[in-house]
């Protein structure tokens, strides 16, 4: 059988514990940031670094859960697919941008002409017939 079909659904108790620990670490970083905001001995830089460390630690803990492994696999596959993309050259990009700009100007003029014609037709011609 396919191993993907045999994967268990849902989170196990270890994953729930890891996610709870990650949430506690993140909350501790945020609470610490505000707790030390009134203390003049703790510079703002240290508070920001503390939050960044808490976020990094929470992400690291979460990366070792089932959803974290799925996310890492998705990111790895996305990076692999991005290597396959054939990006346009600078010349192709400039030509395409120029064509789009010309088309936008032409369509804007055409829409303005249609608007002017309809305004002239309705306001100047049809409304004068009623008088």
């Amino acid at each position: 059988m396919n191993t993907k079909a045999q994967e268990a659904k849902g989170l196990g108790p270890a994953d729930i514990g890891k996610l709870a620990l990650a949430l506690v670490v993140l909350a501790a970083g945020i609470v610490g940031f505000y707790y030390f905001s009134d203390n003049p001995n703790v510079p703002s830089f240290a508070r920001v670094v503390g939050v960044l460390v808490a976020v990094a630690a929470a992400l690291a803990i979460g990366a070792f859960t089932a959803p974290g492994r799925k996310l890492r696999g998705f990111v790895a596959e996305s990076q692999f697919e991005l290597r396959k993309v054939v990006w346009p050259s600078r010349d192709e990009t400039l030509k395409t941008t120029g064509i789009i700009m010309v088309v936008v100007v032409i369509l804007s003029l055409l829409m303005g002409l249609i608007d002017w014609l309809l305004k002239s037709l309705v306001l100047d011609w049809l409304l004068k017939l009623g008088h």
Side-chain angles (χ1 to χ4, degrees):
M1 265 196 178
N2 189 351
T3 57
K4 288 190 178 183
Q6 294 177 356
E7 287 181 6
K9 301 279 182 184
L11 295 175
D15 287 338
I16 293 173
K18 289 175 190 174
L19 289 174
L21 178 62
L23 188 62
V24 167
V25 169
L26 182 62
I30 294 171
V31 168
F33 179 82
Y34 288 108
Y35 179 75
F36 290 112
S37 65
D38 294 334
N39 190 343
N41 296 330
V42 179
S44 298
F45 176 75
R47 292 175 37 227
V48 171
V49 168
V51 171
L52 293 177
V53 167
V55 169
L59 288 174
I61 294 168
F64 291 102
T65 62
R69 285 187 292 275
K70 284 183 182 178
L71 180 63
R72 286 188 313 196
F74 174 75
V75 169
E77 289 177 20
S78 298
Q79 288 175 341
F80 179 72
E81 290 296 324
L82 274 175
R83 284 188 225 121
K84 294 180 185 179
V85 174
V86 178
W87 297 101
S89 67
R90 180 177 172 83
D91 189 47
E92 291 171 333
T93 304
L94 290 175
K95 286 180 182 178
T96 305
T97 303
I99 290 171
I100 290 172
M101 292 171 80
V102 168
V103 168
V104 166
V105 168
I106 290 172
L107 288 177
S108 298
L109 292 172
L110 183 63
M111 295 287 284
L113 178 65
I114 291 171
D115 182 54
W116 178 76
L117 287 173
L118 289 174
K119 180 189 81 77
S120 298
L121 179 71
V122 171
L123 293 179
D124 296 340
W125 189 69
L126 289 177
L127 290 178
K128 289 182 181 175
L129 289 178
H131 291 301

